[in-house]
Amino acid sequence: MKTAQVYKKEPFYDPLLLVNRSHALENPSETPAGLVDVSTFMPVMPGQKVYLLFPAASALKALLDHLDAKGVITAVSGWRSFSEQVNIYKDSLIENGEEFTKKYVAWPGCSEHETGLAIDLGLTMENMDFIRPWFPYDGICETFRNLAPSYGFILRYAKEKENVTGISHEPWHFRYVGTPHSEIITQKGLCLEEYIENFNKKNNPQG
């Protein structure tokens, strides 16, 4: 298994950090510096504390301000510690079974949520689902999704890329990669794995 280099402190983070089942965080027990509590500018799912790295939090706030959607969209899950990811994975195995868990919950140390660059969002409602919040392809949620690339976010797990990402379609999961990466990824219909592979080939043609 390859390891992804984890940033030590702001602003030396990597917006294109690839974290998945094949690219684990080098030091998953470390807490990235520069985490921001998003409850300061948007609703958070009851019982949860949601944090993002400053660049991602700042971009998210700007997007919500643009949409005037602070009360309509709720933050469900952001940065998670390694121990929290372990507990979520174990609990899902018990509650939902192995097949479901492999589709929707990343292996501890291999979750984007451990980077501070990913967030799960849901349409504000009672009794929100923590693992699969409702973020439909219409209304304010679709407007958010369409504008997200302009603010540095991509829809990370598209249905047509399940065979590449290894994660089932997640309409609620957004990853901050920064611009112009987010716009290029979306325009070309790529997932992050494909974009980074193409990026590396372009910059290391002999590699």
Side-chain angles (χ1 to χ4, degrees):
M1 177 184 290
K2 299 178 182 178
T3 56
Q5 176 150 8
V6 67
Y7 33 82
K8 302 299 182 182
K9 63 179 182 179
E10 281 285 315
F12 303 106
Y13 75 102
D14 180 4
L16 292 180
L17 184 72
L18 179 62
V19 179
N20 56 28
R21 198 66 178 262
S22 300
H23 297 78
L25 283 167
E26 183 180 4
N27 298 301
S29 61
E30 290 189 3
T31 300
L35 290 171
V36 174
D37 182 352
V38 305
S39 69
T40 59
F41 60 82
M42 70 182 300
V44 170
M45 184 175 178
Q48 301 299 317
K49 293 182 178 181
V50 182
Y51 299 93
L52 286 177
L53 282 177
F54 175 78
S58 179
L60 178 61
K61 182 180 184 302
L63 176 49
L64 293 172
D65 285 344
H66 178 87
L67 291 173
D68 193 22
K70 292 180 182 178
V72 183
I73 295 174
T74 291
V76 176
S77 183
W79 173 76
R80 298 172 187 164
S81 66
F82 177 76
S83 60
E84 183 180 0
Q85 188 67 26
V86 169
N87 291 333
I88 291 172
Y89 196 89
K90 287 181 177 179
D91 289 345
S92 183
L93 283 175
I94 295 171
E95 296 173 8
N96 306 306
E98 184 175 3
E99 182 178 355
F100 176 96
T101 300
K102 285 184 176 180
K103 286 182 178 180
Y104 294 106
V105 184
W107 185 257
C110 302
S111 172
E112 282 204 329
H113 283 287
E114 295 171 81
T115 69
L117 294 168
I119 189 164
D120 291 345
L121 300 171
L123 189 65
T124 303
M125 61 178 65
E126 294 184 9
N127 303 318
M128 298 181 70
D129 189 327
F130 178 77
I131 300 296
R132 296 190 298 175
W134 179 241
F135 204 78
Y137 281 92
D138 58 27
I140 194 71
C141 295
E142 181 65 357
T143 304
F144 177 98
R145 192 178 283 110
N146 290 334
L147 289 175
S150 297
Y151 289 83
F153 287 93
I154 59 170
L155 177 66
R156 179 66 174 93
Y157 301 116
K159 186 173 181 60
E160 62 271 17
K161 300 297 181 180
E162 289 179 347
N163 63 321
V164 181
T165 64
I167 298 291
S168 290
H169 180 211
E170 295 190 355
W172 56 84
H173 183 105
F174 293 87
R175 163 65 191 269
Y176 182 79
V177 296
T179 56
H181 305 297
S182 54
E183 295 165 313
I184 297 171
I185 288 170
T186 304
Q187 290 168 2
K188 292 185 176 294
L190 303 172
C191 63
L192 186 56
E193 284 83 356
E194 293 170 325
Y195 182 71
I196 290 177
E197 182 180 0
N198 292 343
F199 186 87
N200 289 338
K201 286 180 179 178
K202 181 178 179 181
N203 289 278
N204 300 286
Q206 305 302 322

